[in-house]
């Protein structure tokens, strides 16, 4: 049995570990189709063998070639550790600095089979969100981290550890970049080739930056989205008897069932793959499961009548479900759905992210490999049917929004009727949830703040939950009504979080907070570590899906209307600014959420160890991490952001932001342009 010490000792050469191949008991990533030429196959193989002495090439070359041809990528299954992947308590990692150990803990949490979507392919979520490109990289990274001192920084190029380089104790311990491809070559087809060659990687948001905490993060975000959608579209925050229909139960989307029940509604979630559906049911996140569409309709009616919160998993295609709900409306005049969205992985539509309604799950997996062009055609046909049903139900009174998964973007590319008359480049017939629901909340500075208790002790998590709730309650007594609503939602969440049993993997928590709340929670937790009320360091981070971490014109920045929605200065500045203000590690990705080439996002991890130095870093970095995005949103013309940054400047005289002067008389523009 291997140990943490073994997997930190570098690549095992003497002897090589046995090649066990894929574990049939685990879910596996769809087969990739990079369409390499013979010369490119040769290059991919040559690149993979760079990690190993020539004496092992005769053994490894044939099996790597087989993996490439069989799976479309060289994962190096031989080097997948037999040690159970999970977040071990911090002090168990063989390291010279606890900052390095905190990264090791977060990496292993991302690859925990209870957390990761396809553990053996190093995919955490989203179908293709990689932690690393292959297992040699994992082992080298763990080795470097175990050897690292506080005067070294680990440099990561798209999954590849370039090495340890001398730096300052105040520097980040790791700088991570993923997918930094020259813009003209950042296409999906190019990505598949570059990933197969082992030279670039799609890190999603929190997969390739080692900050994923399981679906809890999106449970909370989805709960807030559904609550605020209800307030906006239905005129009330009371969701009893209301029906929310969506799709997807794997990875991030698996959180929807739990979030619906916490929000108090009836959540109906379609899923074509039985494995994640069963997983959510076994976890208790999904209350009921049916593969019978008539039974599904019956249960919706019963729950609607009794106003009982319910999470119902429909094992089948979401298009079939939408069309059946439409048929029911046309037959009876009864609209059984109030709110609708979609969380299929449409950033990855042709390689397992979306399953066309015309095919069974098994047929689709086969066709996407044997005839990718025909599969693409069928996906686009399915999307057109998908949208037709939604459009008719929407005309009848259902409120639909895009959940930032590239649903409307891909539907438009497929020729579906999602155009908005007179709309701008980021606008469709239906708003993204950022445009209508969460964008103004981001502009107030609220976003997904997270922490992980590195002791692995649930008691530490309970203490931090109480600290966070107390801090929010203290602040909320002195804020405006609009901000108080957001505080109250999060106080309710954090006070009940322990009861909802959302910990999967590490002892982690999330809540939405603004700048003041994030800083004060971090400082209070740091003090609790110093006092011994929390037994070990705590890592703080956030989803990149936040006020300032991500430039994504069809999601996070879709409500930026000054023409800069396609500019990525904010995410890059966020990454750089977090680095020199005290982050333990920082990451910058091409891609994340809506796909490769569509977005840039930056993230961080910061270890709180109870020291004054940690408190100083947290305060400086978190203030910047939020204000960067609020300032950008203010400059674009957002009134919420204008008020927020103005108030922040009053509280911190060192902060000076360039404020915009609005055009108050539109006739000035008319006269100037006509003249």
């Amino acid at each position: 049995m291997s140990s943490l010490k073994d997997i930190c000792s570098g690549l095992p050469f003497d002897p090589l570990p046995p090649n066990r191949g894929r574990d049939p008991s685990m879910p596996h990533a769809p087969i990739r189709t990079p369409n390499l030429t013979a010369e490119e196959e040769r290059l991919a193989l040559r690149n993979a063998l760079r990690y190993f002495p020539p004496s092992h090439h005769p053994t490894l070359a044939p099996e790597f070639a087989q993996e490439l041809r069989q799976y479309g990528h060289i994962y190096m299954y031989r080097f997948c550790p037999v040690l159970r992947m999970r977040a071990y308590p911090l002090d168990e990692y063989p390291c010279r600095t606890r900052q390095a150990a905190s990264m090791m803990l977060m990496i292993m949490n991302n690859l925990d089979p209870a957390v990761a979507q396809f553990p053996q392919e190093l995919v955490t979520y989203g179908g293709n969100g990689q932690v690393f490109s292959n297992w040699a990289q994992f082992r080298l990274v763990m080795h470097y981290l175990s050897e690292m001192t506080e005067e070294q920084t680990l440099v990561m190029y798209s999954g590849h550890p370039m090495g340890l380089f001398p730096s300052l104790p105040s520097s980040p311990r790791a700088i991570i970049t993923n997918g930094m491809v020259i813009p003209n070559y950042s296409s999906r087809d190019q990505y598949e080739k570059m990933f197969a060659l082992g030279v670039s990687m799609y890190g999603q948001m929190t997969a390739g930056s080692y900050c994923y905490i399981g679906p809890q993060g999106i449970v909370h975000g989805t709960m807030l989205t559904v609550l605020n959608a209800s307030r906006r579209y239905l005129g009330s925050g009371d969701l009893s008897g209301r029906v929310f229909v969506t799709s997807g139960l794997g990875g991030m989307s698996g959180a929807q069932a739990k979030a619906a029940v916490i929000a108090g509604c009836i959540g109906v979630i379609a899923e074509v793959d039985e494995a994640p559906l069963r997983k959510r049911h076994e976890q208790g996140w999904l209350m009921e499961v049916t593969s019978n569409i008539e039974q599904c309709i019956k249960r919706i009616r019963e729950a609607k009548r009794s106003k009982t919160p319910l999470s119902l998993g429909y094992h089948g295609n979401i298009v079939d479900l939408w069309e059946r709900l439409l048929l029911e409306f046309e037959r009876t005049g009864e609209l059984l759905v109030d709110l609708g969205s979609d969380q299929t992985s449409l950033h990855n539509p042709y390689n397992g992210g979306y399953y066309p309604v015309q095919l069974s799950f098994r047929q689709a997996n086969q066709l996407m490999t044997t005839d990718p062009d025909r599969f693409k055609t069928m996906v686009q046909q399915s999307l057109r049917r998908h949208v037709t049903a939604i459009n008719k139900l929407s005309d009848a009174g259902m409120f639909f929004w895009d959940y930032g998964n590239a649903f409307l973007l891909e539907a438009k590319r497929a020729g579906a009727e999602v155009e908005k008359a007179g709309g701008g480049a980021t606008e469709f017939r239906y708003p993204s949830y950022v445009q209508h629901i969460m964008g103004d909340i981001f502009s107030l500075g609220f976003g997904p703040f997270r922490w992980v208790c590195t002791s692995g002790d649930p008691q530490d998590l309970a203490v931090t939950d109480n600290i966070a709730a107390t801090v929010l309650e203290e602040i909320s007594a002195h804020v405006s009504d609009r901000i108080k609503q957001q505080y109250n939602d999060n106080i309710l969440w954090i006070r009940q979080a322990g009861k909802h049993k959302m910990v999967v993997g590490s002892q982690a928590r999330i809540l939405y907070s603004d700048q003041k709340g994030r800083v004060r929670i971090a400082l209070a937790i740091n003090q609790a570590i110093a006092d011994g009320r929390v037994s070990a360091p705590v890592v703080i981070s956030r989803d990149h899906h936040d006020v300032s971490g991500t430039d994504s014109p069809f999601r996070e920045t879709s409500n930026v209307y000054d023409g800069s929605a396609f500019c990525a200065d904010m995410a890059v500045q966020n990454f750089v600014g977090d680095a020199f203000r005290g982050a333990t590690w920082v990451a910058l990705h091409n891609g994340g959420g809506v796909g490769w080439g569509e977005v840039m996002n930056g993230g961080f991890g910061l270890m709180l160890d109870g020291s004054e130095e940690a408190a100083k870093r947290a305060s400086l970095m978190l203030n910047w991490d939020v204000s960067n995005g609020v300032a950008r949103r203010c400059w674009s013309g957002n009134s919420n952001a204008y008020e927020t940054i103005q108030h922040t400047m009053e509280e911190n005289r060192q902060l000076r932001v360039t404020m915009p002067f609005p055009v108050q008389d539109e006739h000035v523009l008319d006269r100037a342009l006509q003249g």
Side-chain angles (χ1 to χ4, degrees):
M1 182 69 182
S2 66
S3 64
L4 286 172
K5 189 175 179 183
D6 291 334
I7 63 169
C8 291
S9 61
L11 281 164
F13 295 139
D14 188 22
L16 288 174
N19 183 15
R20 295 179 176 83
R22 282 186 166 195
D23 181 346
S25 69
M26 284 189 177
H28 290 284
I31 294 166
R32 295 178 173 275
T33 52
N35 297 319
L36 301 183
T37 64
E39 202 50 48
E40 287 167 339
E41 282 189 340
R42 190 179 186 86
L43 182 58
L45 196 54
R46 185 192 305 280
N47 287 348
L49 291 171
R50 287 183 289 189
Y51 290 102
F52 308 95
S55 58
H56 292 301
H57 291 183
T59 302
L60 297 176
E63 71 187 53
F64 288 173
Q66 184 183 359
E67 285 182 19
L68 182 62
R69 287 174 173 164
Q70 193 169 351
Y71 307 121
H73 188 73
I74 299 170
Y75 295 105
M76 307 185 186
Y77 291 113
R78 177 190 287 270
F79 297 97
C80 178
V82 293
L83 178 72
R84 163 68 203 271
M85 285 285 171
R86 68 178 181 86
Y88 290 88
L90 190 77
D91 290 341
E92 293 185 21
Y93 290 94
C95 284
R96 296 181 180 182
T97 166
R98 290 199 294 183
Q99 290 186 58
S102 70
M103 275 187 279
M104 296 166 91
L105 179 152
M106 299 292 279
I107 287 168
M108 290 190 72
N109 185 68
N110 268 19
L111 294 169
D112 181 340
V115 173
Q117 188 179 10
F118 304 124
Q120 284 203 302
E121 287 75 52
L122 303 110
V123 171
T124 300
Y125 67 93
N128 62 348
Q130 303 286 147
V131 185
F132 302 109
S133 181
N134 59 57
W135 285 104
Q137 292 174 349
F138 166 81
R139 286 181 178 269
L140 275 177
V141 166
M142 296 297 280
H143 177 60
Y144 280 135
L145 290 172
S146 72
E147 296 285 308
M148 172 189 285
T149 71
E150 291 192 5
E151 292 186 338
Q152 290 173 304
T153 292
L154 176 62
V155 175
M156 296 294 304
Y157 278 31
S158 288
H160 169 67
M162 193 58 72
L164 292 173
F165 291 79
S167 63
L168 298 168
S170 59
S171 303
R173 297 280 71 82
I175 303 283
I176 304 159
T177 52
N178 285 309
M180 293 294 108
V181 173
I182 293 166
N184 270 358
Y185 305 92
S186 188
S187 69
R188 278 189 187 138
D189 289 345
Q190 290 280 13
Y191 167 69
E192 287 299 337
K193 276 193 190 296
M194 285 186 278
F195 182 60
L197 292 173
V199 297
S200 197
M201 189 182 88
Y202 181 66
Q204 264 285 359
M205 287 189 159
T206 49
S209 59
Y210 323 146
C211 290
Y212 191 59
I213 60 167
Q216 177 187 170
I218 199 72
V219 170
H220 178 251
T222 304
M223 182 203 77
L224 289 182
T225 302
V226 173
L227 278 177
N228 284 295
S230 181
R231 289 171 187 140
R232 174 164 187 141
Y233 298 133
L234 307 177
S236 167
D238 180 7
L239 278 154
S240 55
R242 300 292 198 167
V243 178
F244 171 48
V245 171
T246 181
S247 59
L249 283 165
M252 302 274 282
S253 61
Q256 296 180 108
K258 190 84 168 175
V261 172
I262 295 171
C265 68
I266 298 143
V268 186
I269 306 97
E271 172 58 64
V272 292
D273 185 354
E274 191 173 9
L277 184 136
R278 293 292 169 201
K279 182 176 179 179
R280 297 301 172 216
H281 191 235
E282 286 161 11
Q283 285 174 337
W285 291 39
L286 193 60
M287 292 159 71
E288 296 180 21
V289 171
T290 181
S291 57
N292 183 314
I293 203 157
E294 299 308 319
Q295 174 66 13
C296 185
I297 298 295
K298 182 180 175 215
R299 285 299 291 126
I300 293 171
R301 271 212 172 84
E302 290 169 353
K304 204 170 165 63
R305 198 176 302 122
S306 64
K307 296 191 173 183
T308 309
L310 172 69
S311 52
L312 173 63
Y314 169 59
H315 182 209
N317 196 292
I318 182 61
V319 181
D320 284 328
L321 180 57
W322 281 124
E323 290 179 342
R324 182 65 185 80
L325 287 163
L326 176 61
L327 180 64
E328 198 66 19
F329 172 72
E330 290 171 342
R331 280 179 181 168
T332 68
E334 186 179 10
L335 186 63
L336 291 176
V337 52
D338 301 283
L339 300 171
S341 194
D342 186 86
Q343 271 204 34
T344 48
S345 294
L346 268 158
H347 68 277
N348 181 33
Y350 309 123
N351 198 38
Y354 181 91
Y355 284 82
V357 65
Q358 310 94 307
L359 301 170
S360 71
F361 181 63
R362 186 186 58 78
Q363 288 169 334
N365 278 326
Q366 190 173 3
L367 189 66
M368 74 176 74
T369 305
T370 57
D371 193 346
D373 290 340
R374 183 159 170 251
F375 182 76
K376 180 177 179 178
T377 299
M378 296 186 89
V379 164
Q380 293 180 328
Q381 289 169 348
S382 182
L383 278 168
R384 291 196 290 273
R385 276 177 60 180
H386 197 150
V387 167
T388 297
I390 287 168
N391 285 350
K392 289 179 179 177
L393 287 163
S394 177
D395 289 343
M398 174 189 74
F399 294 95
F400 185 88
W401 69 87
D402 183 285
Y403 221 135
N405 61 333
F407 174 71
L408 292 179
L409 182 62
E410 288 303 327
K412 178 183 176 182
R413 289 168 176 168
E417 293 181 21
V418 294
E419 297 278 359
K420 179 181 179 180
T426 64
E427 295 178 284
F428 296 95
R429 174 173 178 156
Y430 303 104
S432 83
Y433 74 120
V434 172
Q435 287 169 325
H436 265 202
I437 304 166
M438 299 300 286
D440 279 348
I441 294 168
F442 285 163
S443 295
L444 292 169
F446 282 83
F449 182 59
R450 299 170 163 184
W451 63 92
V452 173
C453 296
T454 67
S455 63
D457 185 349
Q459 181 56 35
D460 278 349
L461 187 60
V463 172
T464 60
D465 282 349
N466 189 54
I467 288 169
T470 302
V471 166
L472 295 185
E473 285 162 354
E474 288 170 358
I475 298 174
S476 70
H478 309 286
V479 296
S480 67
D481 288 345
R482 180 172 50 177
I483 294 174
K484 191 185 286 284
Q485 177 71 74
Q486 299 308 316
Y487 270 102
N488 289 345
D489 284 348
N490 284 282
I491 290 164
L492 177 67
W493 161 269
I494 201 72
R495 286 291 184 202
Q496 296 183 357
K499 299 176 193 171
H500 292 303
K501 298 180 181 173
M502 275 169 299
V503 168
V504 178
S506 60
Q507 293 291 320
R509 188 67 75 222
I510 183 174
L511 56 77
Y512 268 47
S513 182
D514 59 0
Q515 182 169 325
K516 182 181 286 186
R518 297 186 210 205
V519 173
R520 284 183 54 177
I521 291 169
L523 295 181
I525 289 174
N526 193 60
Q527 188 59 51
I529 297 165
D531 297 344
R533 287 176 289 135
V534 173
S535 68
V538 170
V539 171
I540 60 171
S541 69
R542 57 159 168 73
D543 195 340
H544 306 215
H545 167 59
D546 196 1
V547 54
S548 69
T550 299
D551 286 297
S552 180
F554 298 102
R555 196 161 88 174
E556 284 81 0
T557 45
S558 60
N559 67 330
V560 169
Y561 300 117
D562 69 345
S564 70
F566 293 87
C567 300
D569 301 76
M570 181 175 71
V572 176
Q573 288 282 356
N574 185 265
F575 161 81
V576 175
D578 284 354
F580 65 74
R581 286 180 177 88
T584 307
W585 70 93
V586 289
L588 183 68
H589 303 318
N590 168 7
V594 296
W596 177 269
E598 304 286 358
V599 49
M600 293 289 288
N601 59 70
F604 73 86
L606 193 156
M607 190 186 79
L608 302 173
D609 61 4
S611 66
E612 287 184 22
E613 173 71 15
K616 184 178 176 183
R617 285 173 178 243
S619 179
L620 194 60
M621 198 211 73
L622 289 172
N623 277 306
W624 152 257
D625 193 68
V626 178
S627 278
N628 169 44
V630 179
R632 185 268 176 98
R633 291 164 193 275
C634 164
W635 186 245
S636 77
N638 185 287
S639 59
N640 277 3
Y642 188 101
E643 290 173 27
T644 302
I645 205 71
Q646 189 90 335
H647 185 64
T648 308
M649 283 194 286
E650 289 165 10
E651 293 190 336
N652 183 351
R653 294 297 174 185
Q654 282 190 293
L655 177 67
R656 296 179 65 187
V657 171
T658 308
M659 304 296 279
F661 292 102
V663 172
Q664 293 179 334
D665 181 2
E666 290 291 320
H667 295 302
V668 171
L669 305 182
D670 295 335
R671 285 193 295 270
L673 292 168
Q674 285 165 7

